[in-house]
Amino acid sequence: MKLPPTATPAIWHTLPEDDICQRLATTRTGLCAAEAARRLAEHGPNEIQETKPISRFAIFVRQFTSLIVWLLIIAAVVAGALGEMVDAIAILAIVVLNGVIGFYQEYKAEQSIAALRKMTAPQARVRRDGRAFIVPATQLVPGDVLEIEAGDLVAADARLVNATSLRCIEAALTGESEAVDKLATVLGDAELPLGDLANMLFKGTSVAAGQGEAIVVATGMSTELGRIAGLIEQAGAGERTPLQEKLEAFGRVLVWASLGIVALLFVLGLLRGMGLLEMFMTSVSLAVAAVPEGMPAVVTIALALGVMRMSRRRALVRKLPAVETLGSTNVICTDKTGTLTVGDMTVRELFVDGQTYAVTGEGYGPHGEILIEGRATGAEHAEELLELATTLLAANNAQLVLEDGAWKVIGDPTEGAMRVAGHKAGGVSDDVERELPKHHEIPFDSDRKRRTVVRIMPQGHLRAFVNGAPDVLLRRCTKLYTDKGIVPLDDARRTQIKLQNEAMAARALRVLGAAYRDLPHGTVAHDITDDHEQDLVFVGLAGMYDPPRPEAKKAVARCHDAGIRVVMITGDHPHTALAIARELGIAAPDDTVVSGAELNKMSDDDLRTRAPHIGVYARVTAEHKLRIVHAWKANNAVVAMTGDGVNDAPALKGADIGIAMGIKGTEVTKQASDMIVTDDNFASIVAAVEQGRGIYDNIRKTLQYLLASNSAELLLMTLCIVIGLPAPLLPIHLLWINLVTDGLPALCLATDAIDPDVMRRRPRARTEGMMDRAFLVRMVIGDIATVTVCFGIFIWARHTSGLDVARSMTFTALAFCELCKSFSFRSETKPLWKLCFRSNLQLPLVVAASFALQLMLHHVPVLSRLLGTVVPEWHERWLLLGAGLIPFAALELFKVFRHKPAPMSASIAA
């Protein structure tokens, strides 16, 4: 019997137990072994399907899919066919070097789905044939009855049919920091978000407290975890980064421009009566000259160097193009829990004896103190703080452990936060356990909304310590603890406590109350009832939340200064999300929050239209996060998505760049990401954006320098051919300038220091091409000056010394022009004298060495014969050096007289 295709949370949480059993053909005693085996064969193992991993060979081949790379390969083949083996080998060596560097950086990148296996439970306790068995989690099938208790990892999606004080931690799926209460009741609303499905258990989540029974409704890829795995696989498939798009567009322009010029010259040559073979070889030489052979390697090396720089800033880049993509980002969609916030519940305020105290420190670590009106508390406050601390510690089962240098909680995160606050307020857990041994416990559940622990006091009598919801405790309290002793809880004092509770809640704090009662002598464990939780002494309040990271607010402000829009996307409650967003400056005081339920009512077109005006999303699922990312991308934004939970992984994969947290991030999220922030610090992301912008600047100016050199060669060759003069340069001259003369300074430009003003500029639009007007104007100015100088030298030398000397001098003049121009290409806006000389010491060293090498070509017989050079006279050397400075001077004067700093303008991030 095949089960109906209704195994989704939207159906199961609305059905009573009898309907569930009927639909799944099961009972509370479980399936029989034979039926379980049949269903296992029908539905398959309860595991996440793993896509076939990409092979090393495929990763290597992927490095050669660029249009520019194929253009170089074709040029090498043609050069080899024409007998120019030196040219062919040099070009192919550049192509292979580019491929090796890219392969090294991207190896082992595509492993997103495999990491999900690490989140699944290896075993499960299941009831079959009326008895409990421990079976491998992979053998669970729909209809199985699960038995769960504190500490278990949930092995499949299941509907609760019995729950006792059950609380689960679902942060990885929903982003909510606190453990959530679980009930076995029917929920009537079919449109509830994932985080509000209180009667459902989900594969990969963990049980913090209590116990329960549940009927398995979905296994394997049909679970929420499996659905996320499918989203990860689909998200971002086949998409290219902004840099790849720009380089492909750049390559297309280069190909068509080269073909057009070569074809024009070929036709002009034939019309002038030149031979067909001669013009073909000349045209091929020009085509090779038009291609900047060093460009792929220079771009790859610039990106690889960016990877190393970012690693020193605690950002590990897993995919090479992501380095530049981060610099193009104009929208950062960030998860709240663990990214903008610490990710650990932390008590922020205490209220006892009419006084409000601030609690410093983040997370579960012991660092922090208690302050009153901004000052450290003194001995006059110690007694009442210790009383509250004792109550918080006494009714508490959480444990704090130090693992790998970080404090973690075992048990309920809320109780962990109260334990930390109790320590800061002067209490000591070990002293409480030793001096007040536990006698009995009534666990927390969602109906009682309180936990009671009965302990034996030093005097021998029993005391019930109670922590719970303030409104519930106040109804049961008749007395109040003060520094003057126990006093009646009159209406005025009760009102003061209620107002304090409301004020804390308004600041998005989760508030718990603390109380106690001394039990009558002779009370024994089995006699303790609800009546013993009446007539309580109210002690105080503890307000807690998952606090923002101390550096996050400054980092968000820096994003705004850089024109980057920050959008919060979280599975947490709307009230909490909006409060944190306002505290960090992400949302204005009058901004609102959009919930997952509201997103469900929006079409993709509606969301695309509204996305630029929404700053906070709450109670959203993994699918919602992916839709939001796609909506921004539909607005031509370059989107970065940050996160740490499994529910963030699909959006990370679908964004232009996915950024995972290295400490608290799940393995799934790390493998879905393009970059990992090793310190979980949002400020590190902003620093990485700065690096990315600097790297793009370096790539742009390097390409501008290389293309300016190649276009000058083309223009010079074209000018001579058009007016009937012989070629001023030999093919070997062109290749030498492209690979050696231009290649070495280009590497220095690619590794230049980042402009200090880079984060004061607007982000680049996705549609903004690499060759804009400013790019072309600088190229034209440099080319006109270079061609004028070199053409003049060629005409003069040919007239006075013959063609061979003219070609030799033109070759050296062009090399000197290109070397001197490299200094001007360090900045598009600032003259050389306004740049820090020490920030790129390698460039003057490389230029000096290249000058010396160029002169050696004239004096070393082997090199002289290979390149067809002759020894220049001394006065000719000074002439060539002076000529080389002319294009540099022209570019620098253009910056001084024509350039105006670009103002920060409105962008999509405004």
Side-chain angles (χ1 to χ4, degrees):
M1 176 186 68
K2 187 167 180 67
L3 302 179
T6 58
T8 63
I11 295 296
W12 297 115
H13 72 272
T14 62
L15 300 178
E17 179 183 335
D18 291 343
D19 286 358
I20 294 172
C21 291
Q22 182 179 359
R23 284 173 178 259
L24 294 172
T26 189
T27 66
R28 286 286 294 273
T29 59
L31 301 171
C32 65
E35 177 62 15
R38 190 194 67 76
R39 294 189 184 188
L40 182 63
E42 179 180 356
H43 294 280
N46 175 36
E47 58 187 10
I48 303 301
Q49 295 176 5
E50 185 175 355
T51 56
K52 184 179 179 180
I54 187 168
S55 67
R56 300 180 187 182
F57 178 74
I59 294 175
F60 185 71
V61 169
R62 192 164 62 189
Q63 311 306 315
F64 301 93
T65 57
S66 167
L67 182 61
I68 290 288
V69 171
W70 276 105
L71 187 59
L72 288 177
I73 293 173
I74 293 171
V77 171
V78 172
L82 295 176
E84 301 290 343
M85 296 308 299
V86 175
D87 295 12
I89 293 172
I91 295 172
L92 288 177
I94 291 293
V95 171
V96 172
L97 174 64
N98 174 70
V100 169
I101 294 174
F103 170 80
Y104 177 76
Q105 293 293 338
E106 293 189 14
Y107 180 56
K108 293 182 179 179
E110 298 294 330
Q111 300 172 9
S112 300
I113 309 303
L116 282 164
R117 292 179 177 271
K118 298 183 179 181
M119 291 200 60
T120 58
Q123 292 182 321
R125 188 182 301 105
V126 63
R127 191 180 301 153
R128 289 178 180 170
D129 293 318
R131 294 185 299 160
F133 293 91
I134 301 294
V135 301
T138 56
Q139 294 183 13
L140 289 180
V141 296
D144 266 329
V145 177
L146 280 178
E147 295 181 356
I148 58 170
E149 60 184 20
D152 285 351
L153 199 62
V154 180
D157 286 6
R159 165 68 154 79
L160 281 166
V161 293
N162 184 33
T164 303
S165 304
L166 186 63
R167 309 191 80 201
C168 291
I169 298 175
E170 299 179 341
L173 279 179
T174 67
E176 188 169 350
S177 308
E178 305 173 24
V180 294
D181 298 327
K182 291 295 181 178
L183 309 169
T185 57
V186 176
L187 302 176
D189 188 353
E191 300 299 325
L192 286 175
L194 187 69
D196 292 336
L197 298 180
N199 60 4
M200 296 293 300
L201 301 177
F202 298 106
K203 182 180 179 74
T205 60
S206 60
V207 181
Q211 57 189 17
E213 298 175 2
I215 299 176
V216 174
V217 298
T219 60
M221 294 299 289
S222 298
T223 63
E224 280 296 306
L225 198 63
R227 192 172 65 84
I228 290 175
L231 289 173
I232 294 173
E233 187 175 358
Q234 298 168 16
E239 295 187 5
R240 303 179 70 80
T241 70
L243 179 62
Q244 290 170 326
E245 293 171 355
K246 287 180 174 65
L247 289 179
E248 286 297 300
F250 183 82
R252 286 192 295 270
V253 171
L254 192 59
V255 167
W256 290 111
S258 301
L259 290 176
I261 292 173
V262 168
L264 176 63
L265 293 180
F266 183 78
V267 172
L268 286 175
L270 292 180
L271 292 177
R272 295 179 64 86
M274 301 176 69
L276 181 63
L277 180 59
E278 178 186 0
M279 281 310 305
F280 176 75
M281 295 185 67
T282 301
S283 298
V284 170
S285 297
L286 288 175
V288 173
V291 179
E293 287 86 355
M295 189 181 79
V298 166
V299 170
T300 304
I301 290 171
L303 294 175
L305 183 69
V307 170
M308 290 187 288
R309 284 179 174 174
M310 286 184 176
S311 68
R312 292 194 290 267
R313 303 289 292 269
R314 297 181 175 85
L316 299 180
V317 176
R318 301 178 63 247
K319 298 175 185 177
L320 212 54
V323 178
E324 184 278 332
T325 305
L326 193 60
S328 304
T329 298
N330 50 15
V331 176
I332 298 179
C333 295
T334 176
D335 180 47
K336 176 185 72 69
T337 306
T339 306
L340 291 169
T341 64
V342 175
D344 299 329
M345 292 300 293
T346 303
V347 172
R348 267 290 172 260
E349 291 184 21
L350 296 175
F351 177 78
V352 59
D353 192 19
Q355 295 283 350
T356 301
Y357 299 86
V359 185
T360 65
E362 281 81 31
Y364 299 120
H367 307 293
E369 59 181 337
I370 308 297
L371 304 177
I372 183 168
E373 297 179 352
R375 303 185 307 274
T377 56
E380 67 274 17
H381 304 289
E383 184 177 347
E384 51 263 41
L385 285 173
L386 181 60
E387 188 73 16
L388 178 58
T390 301
T391 309
L392 295 177
L393 295 173
N396 199 307
N397 283 337
Q399 298 295 323
L400 301 175
V401 295
L402 184 63
E403 292 183 2
D404 300 325
W407 285 94
K408 298 180 181 179
V409 63
I410 299 176
D412 190 302
T414 299
E415 292 193 359
M418 290 193 296
R419 183 169 289 275
V420 173
H423 290 167
K424 293 176 182 178
V428 179
S429 297
D430 292 342
D431 291 350
V432 170
E433 297 299 329
R434 182 179 62 255
E435 298 172 8
L436 310 177
K438 185 183 293 186
H439 177 274
H440 181 62
E441 177 178 346
I442 306 175
F444 180 96
D445 67 42
S446 55
D447 293 327
R448 288 167 31 82
K449 294 186 178 180
R450 63 188 183 277
R451 170 192 291 278
T452 299
V453 175
V454 179
R455 294 183 178 271
I456 304 173
M457 302 301 289
Q459 298 82 2
H461 67 279
L462 300 181
R463 176 174 288 184
F465 294 93
V466 188
N467 289 338
D471 55 337
V472 173
L473 289 190
L474 277 175
R475 288 197 297 269
R476 293 171 173 268
C477 290
T478 58
K479 303 179 183 69
L480 176 67
Y481 169 83
T482 71
D483 61 347
K484 298 179 176 60
I486 308 301
V487 299
L489 183 59
D490 57 27
D491 290 342
R493 294 186 176 103
R494 191 180 298 272
T495 300
Q496 181 189 24
I497 295 171
K498 287 182 178 179
L499 292 175
Q500 183 65 33
N501 177 42
E502 292 171 0
M504 287 182 172
R507 293 191 291 274
L509 298 178
R510 184 189 181 195
V511 188
L512 290 180
Y516 69 83
R517 178 193 174 184
D518 290 329
L519 302 181
H521 289 284
T523 304
V524 294
H526 63 269
D527 289 336
I528 295 176
T529 65
D530 183 78
D531 291 339
H532 292 96
E533 295 176 314
Q534 302 286 350
D535 196 25
L536 300 175
V537 177
F538 188 86
V539 179
L541 301 171
M544 69 196 74
Y545 76 143
D546 180 11
R549 293 180 175 275
E551 65 283 347
K553 186 172 184 177
K554 183 178 179 181
V556 169
R558 197 169 180 216
C559 285
H560 291 164
D561 291 342
I564 299 171
R565 176 73 179 273
V566 180
V567 178
M568 179 191 289
I569 307 176
T570 179
D572 213 338
H573 290 281
H575 183 67
T576 303
L578 189 57
I580 295 291
R582 286 172 176 167
E583 184 173 349
L584 291 175
I586 294 174
D590 56 345
D591 282 353
T592 58
V593 58
V594 172
S595 68
E598 293 174 277
L599 281 174
N600 288 333
K601 299 175 183 178
M602 292 187 200
S603 67
D604 289 342
D605 287 340
D606 291 339
L607 181 56
R608 177 183 59 80
T609 302
R610 292 188 58 186
H613 309 290
I614 302 172
V616 184
Y617 299 86
R619 226 58 179 149
V620 294
T621 63
E623 189 172 11
H624 290 143
K625 294 184 179 187
L626 185 58
R627 283 188 65 202
I628 294 165
V629 167
H630 286 165
W632 273 108
K633 292 175 73 172
N635 283 287
N636 288 322
V638 179
V639 184
M641 174 72 196
T642 76
D644 61 349
V646 177
N647 60 327
D648 300 315
L652 261 67
K653 193 78 170 180
D656 291 296
I657 178 166
I659 306 169
M661 301 295 108
I663 298 175
K664 295 188 177 180
T666 62
E667 190 64 23
V668 185
T669 311
K670 293 176 186 177
Q671 294 297 341
S673 68
D674 302 293
M675 188 182 88
I676 299 171
V677 178
T678 59
D679 61 354
D680 287 12
N681 192 332
F682 188 79
S684 296
I685 299 172
V686 181
V689 170
E690 181 180 23
Q691 289 286 330
R693 288 190 175 189
I695 288 165
Y696 178 84
D697 283 354
N698 287 348
I699 291 174
R700 175 184 161 95
K701 64 191 177 189
T702 301
L703 295 184
Q704 190 178 39
Y705 172 67
L706 290 174
L707 194 59
S709 173
N710 287 65
S711 57
E713 295 166 13
L714 267 180
L715 288 173
L716 179 61
M717 296 284 285
T718 302
L719 178 62
C720 290
I721 291 174
V722 167
I723 65 177
L725 296 175
L729 298 167
L730 299 174
I732 190 67
H733 293 160
L734 299 173
L735 191 62
W736 177 272
I737 290 174
N738 287 358
L739 292 181
V740 181
T741 306
D742 293 342
L744 295 177
L747 287 176
C748 296
L749 291 175
T751 59
D752 205 356
I754 295 174
D755 185 348
D757 297 330
V758 72
M759 290 297 281
R760 297 191 181 101
R761 303 199 301 250
R762 66 175 179 84
R764 300 182 309 278
R766 178 186 288 272
T767 54
E768 182 179 317
M770 191 166 286
M771 291 192 299
D772 57 15
R773 183 174 179 273
F775 186 103
L776 296 174
V777 168
R778 294 190 70 221
M779 269 185 52
V780 169
I781 291 173
D783 285 355
I784 290 174
T786 301
V787 171
T788 301
V789 168
C790 293
F791 181 73
I793 288 177
F794 177 70
I795 295 296
W796 172 75
R798 180 169 176 263
H799 178 71
T800 59
S801 305
L803 181 59
D804 290 341
V805 173
R807 281 175 170 165
S808 176
M809 291 188 67
T810 303
F811 170 45
T812 300
L814 182 58
F816 284 1
C817 286
E818 298 305 326
L819 291 172
C820 292
K821 280 196 301 185
S822 65
F823 290 103
S824 186
F825 279 95
R826 281 195 63 193
S827 173
E828 293 189 34
T829 62
K830 299 176 182 177
L832 182 62
W833 56 87
K834 289 189 177 181
L835 300 176
C836 179
F837 181 78
R838 295 189 302 273
S839 63
N840 195 343
L841 289 174
Q842 62 267 31
L843 181 59
L845 293 176
V846 163
V847 169
S850 298
F851 266 107
L853 182 60
Q854 186 69 32
L855 292 175
M856 284 177 59
L857 299 180
H858 297 268
H859 294 274
V860 178
V862 175
L863 296 177
S864 179
R865 287 193 298 271
L866 177 65
L867 290 148
T869 58
V870 296
V871 179
E873 299 290 340
W874 275 103
H875 71 279
E876 292 174 339
R877 297 176 189 180
W878 289 110
L879 173 66
L880 294 175
L881 179 59
L885 290 171
I886 293 175
F888 163 76
L891 288 169
E892 292 300 291
L893 289 172
F894 172 74
K895 292 181 194 178
V896 172
F897 292 110
R898 295 294 302 274
H899 178 74
K900 294 181 180 179
M904 181 77 173
S905 62
S907 70
I908 195 169

